[in-house]
Amino acid sequence: MSRDYFGSLASPVETAEIKKDERNMATEGPAVRRVQVAEHPRLLKLKGMFNSKFGSVPKFYVRAPGRVNIIGLGFCFGWRLQENDIKNSPILSEGRAYRLLWIFCSSYGCRTRYVNSCGTCENTRSPAGQYQSLVPVELAEICAKSEHYIGTEGGGMDQSISFLAEEGTAKLIEFSPLRATDVKLPSGAVFVIANSCVEMNKAATSHFNIRVMECRLAAKLLAKHKCLPWEEVLRLEEVQAKLGVSLQEMLLITEDTLHSEPYSPKEICRCLGISLQELKTQILSPNTQDVLTFKLYQRAKHVYSEAARVLQFKKICEEAPDNTVQLLGELMNQSHVSCRDMYECSCPELDQLVDICRKFGAQGSRLTGAGWGGCTVSIVPADKLSSFLANVHEAYYQRSNRSLVPEKQSLFATKPGGGALVFLEA
């Protein structure tokens, strides 16, 4: 017997059907499961709230578990949380979840005028929507693009792993075109998530967009220096692809081309041969037009070195040497240092939490997600897990007001799980 997504016992036959649904998701669309809503308190509560607000019951529910990138930025590992049952998974209740739900509603022929805090879609049917035949890769790309409409210049990692995750394997997510590769993680280690209890809304601040723009400007200056059509270049990855060189060579080119001192808008204009007005209207986003300095060298160096670490991480997992856990941990440690010093997306609480995790047995620890708050991910030898959890809980959570945060939501071990599902009432 095994546990299904609601934490209840499922038979071997049911478990096989669940896994088949998830495999089909990669090529046939979102997986669908029929459930007895009355047997699951959280779904039953959502159903009641929906019925109270709209006077009818929802046609379906959508669940999209959390995501953790073990290492990487643009090239990255997407990783589903173990806690992906109905008691712990978000049922598309806030932020990005709304946009995912819109796509699901479209694909199931449901036109949604309002997505409420229950995380369910208004019960309004329409003819089959234009997205009905889309496979998860296409859905992920649409969801990623939708984020740009709220002013966040994000990528597609979150959306991609939400649709493409499979139980038992991490995923190497690559873009242009979007693709996901299975990566088998070492069996002798456990990955632990720790919440710093610091929140950062990247849609409400400019930090994230400034980093995106700094990378874009760095790419254009590198392209211009190499006599490439820089006007067309948007990403650092494109410069490497057009030059046909390795990541290590791109690091050398970055060292030779960009200086470590911050660039002013006027200097960028001089390098590109454009006016300040052209820079603001043709390149910068609305919430970066008043930025006074841009750190191009640091951002480019981080992106290229982090991409190299991702590929090295994958190689180590494939070759599985005796010291795999140690080697992966070293890469994660290097990643955090680069995030902190070169990309500058950490914060004091994350740095403290990373140090505590390393002190109590993690072979490697780094921030995960966009940064400036949120969580860390640590690789911990399996035989040290119990003492690690106890010590980190005491050192970080009990010695501050963070102890008010529910322990199970703050610090827990996890493993790769399945992706988004559509639930229909049986």
Side-chain angles (χ1 to χ4, degrees):
M1 307 290 281
S2 62
R3 293 275 176 182
D4 72 4
Y5 290 105
F6 294 102
S8 59
L9 288 174
S11 69
V13 173
E14 290 171 328
T15 300
E17 290 177 351
I18 292 169
K19 291 182 177 180
K20 179 181 177 182
D21 280 343
E22 290 174 352
R23 287 193 299 270
N24 289 344
M25 208 178 154
T27 55
E28 298 176 12
V32 178
R33 286 192 57 203
R34 292 192 174 273
V35 297
Q36 295 288 345
V37 172
E39 296 178 2
H40 309 290
R42 193 176 176 202
L43 277 185
L44 191 61
K45 181 180 179 180
L46 290 174
K47 180 179 179 180
M49 292 173 68
F50 187 93
N51 192 27
S52 175
K53 185 164 188 70
F54 298 109
S56 60
V57 297
K59 291 291 185 181
F60 60 89
Y61 310 80
V62 179
R63 186 225 63 199
R67 177 274 310 167
V68 171
N69 60 303
I70 301 176
I71 193 169
L73 187 70
F75 306 93
C76 56
F77 282 95
W79 199 42
R80 306 306 308 186
L81 301 184
Q82 178 184 6
E83 318 299 336
N84 58 357
D85 58 36
I86 198 66
K87 293 179 290 186
N88 297 297
S89 301
I91 312 294
L92 299 189
S93 57
E94 59 182 346
R96 178 176 297 106
Y98 286 171
R99 296 185 290 285
L100 287 173
L101 182 55
W102 170 262
I103 299 301
F104 272 125
C105 289
S106 298
S107 68
Y108 278 82
C110 177
R111 186 175 303 280
T112 311
R113 296 192 305 272
Y114 176 78
V115 180
N116 65 86
S117 60
C118 298
T120 48
C121 138
E122 184 178 354
N123 188 13
T124 305
R125 300 293 293 177
S126 70
Q130 60 176 313
Y131 298 117
Q132 189 166 14
S133 63
L134 296 181
V135 298
V137 168
E138 295 170 307
L139 288 173
E141 290 176 335
I142 292 171
C143 287
K145 290 178 182 177
S146 73
E147 193 165 271
H148 297 173
Y149 290 98
I150 63 165
T152 302
E153 295 285 335
M157 180 179 65
D158 291 13
Q159 299 85 351
S160 300
I161 194 61
S162 186
F163 286 108
L164 303 176
E166 295 182 62
E167 185 175 357
T169 180
K171 294 282 187 178
L172 171 63
I173 305 293
E174 298 175 89
F175 301 94
S176 303
L178 173 61
R179 55 205 184 277
T181 305
D182 291 352
V183 177
K184 184 178 180 181
L185 299 173
S187 58
V190 178
F191 288 87
V192 177
I193 310 306
N195 185 359
S196 72
C197 304
V198 176
E199 297 183 4
M200 198 285 288
N201 184 346
K202 67 181 183 181
T205 64
S206 60
H207 300 310
F208 189 84
N209 283 354
I210 290 174
R211 296 300 180 277
V212 173
M213 198 52 57
E214 286 173 323
C215 291
R216 183 170 300 171
L217 291 169
K220 289 183 178 296
L221 263 65
L222 289 170
K224 172 88 174 198
H225 179 76
K226 288 295 183 179
C227 301
L228 297 174
W230 64 268
E231 298 91 346
E232 304 170 4
V233 172
L234 296 177
R235 299 184 301 274
L236 288 162
E237 175 194 12
E238 296 175 50
V239 181
Q240 180 199 1
K242 290 179 182 296
L243 292 176
V245 299
S246 67
L247 289 166
Q248 296 303 324
E249 289 175 290
M250 281 309 309
L251 284 167
L252 294 175
I253 292 172
T254 299
E255 292 279 354
D256 292 339
T257 307
L258 303 176
H259 57 68
S260 59
E261 296 78 15
Y263 285 73
S264 68
K266 287 185 178 179
E267 183 178 7
I268 292 171
C269 290
R270 187 165 61 252
C271 292
L272 296 178
I274 60 175
S275 67
L276 188 59
Q277 181 66 17
E278 288 173 318
L279 175 67
K280 289 185 175 182
T281 59
Q282 298 178 18
I283 300 178
L284 298 181
S285 58
N287 60 355
T288 61
Q289 291 180 359
D290 295 325
V291 176
L292 300 178
T293 59
F294 297 93
K295 295 185 178 182
L296 308 190
Y297 166 81
Q298 291 85 347
R299 311 317 183 213
K301 189 170 181 180
H302 169 72
V303 169
Y304 287 129
S305 63
E306 187 74 348
R309 282 187 286 272
V310 168
L311 298 181
Q312 184 65 19
F313 194 105
K314 177 176 180 287
K315 181 180 179 182
I316 293 170
C317 287
E318 291 172 343
E319 296 177 351
D322 293 339
N323 60 339
T324 291
V325 176
Q326 176 189 342
L327 295 175
L328 297 183
E330 290 173 357
L331 289 174
M332 292 174 68
N333 291 336
Q334 293 168 17
S335 174
H336 184 77
V337 170
S338 186
C339 286
R340 182 192 67 201
D341 298 341
M342 302 304 288
Y343 209 64
E344 296 181 279
C345 62
S346 188
C347 67
E349 292 84 357
L350 280 173
D351 295 337
Q352 179 191 9
L353 186 52
V354 162
D355 290 341
I356 289 173
C357 289
R358 293 174 186 168
K359 177 181 178 181
F360 291 114
Q363 290 290 304
S365 186
R366 68 181 294 274
L367 65 83
T368 185
W372 296 285
C375 297
T376 63
V377 56
S378 302
I379 184 170
V380 181
D383 58 356
K384 295 183 179 180
L385 178 61
S386 296
S387 61
F388 174 84
L389 293 174
N391 288 328
V392 172
H393 178 69
E394 179 182 359
Y396 189 76
Y397 299 100
Q398 287 188 340
R399 295 180 184 177
S400 69
N401 290 333
R402 302 182 191 102
S403 60
L404 299 175
V405 179
E407 180 178 356
K408 289 183 179 180
Q409 296 179 19
S410 301
L411 181 68
F412 52 88
T414 146
K415 61 183 179 182
L421 288 172
V422 176
F423 298 109
L424 302 178
E425 187 164 3

